[in-house]
Amino acid sequence: VEQNHNSTSSDSSDEDAILSLTDNWECPVCLEICVEPVKTPCNHYFCMTCQKEILSRENIACPLCRKDFDTKYEPSIDKEL
């Protein structure tokens, strides 16, 4: 019986770890996991699709901190993640 309890506890901690990763790599715009993460100059992460949408607007600023992006800013996928 004790093994089943430990297995359940392990399953729960695995699930918690997965949820934590999901929260850390979730795009704050579309709320999906960042498949192609882009790091902004202000160190926030968005998926490439959302980042392109942000840059297509007149007011080019981070949706999280509202810091303006340099007009020369070009998003690129962060391959270090």
Side-chain angles (χ1 to χ4, degrees), residues 29-75:
V29 176
C30 67
L31 304 179
E32 298 290 329
I33 294 176
C34 288
V35 176
E36 297 178 313
V38 175
K39 185 176 179 181
T40 64
C42 52
N43 295 320
H44 291 115
Y45 285 92
F46 301 96
C47 63
M48 179 62 91
T49 303
C50 291
Q51 187 63 38
K52 286 181 179 180
E53 174 67 28
I54 292 164
L55 294 175
S56 71
R57 300 176 185 161
E58 280 186 38
N59 183 18
I60 304 174
C62 177
L64 291 178
C65 68
R66 304 289 185 218
K67 182 177 179 180
D68 290 331
F69 294 150
D70 187 317
T71 55
K72 297 176 186 172
Y73 169 66
E74 288 289 328

Side-chain angles (χ1 to χ4, degrees), residues 2 8 16 20 50 53 55-56 77:
E2 194 172 316
T8 303
D16 290 343
S20 177
C50 291
E53 174 67 28
L55 294 175
S56 71
I77 298 170

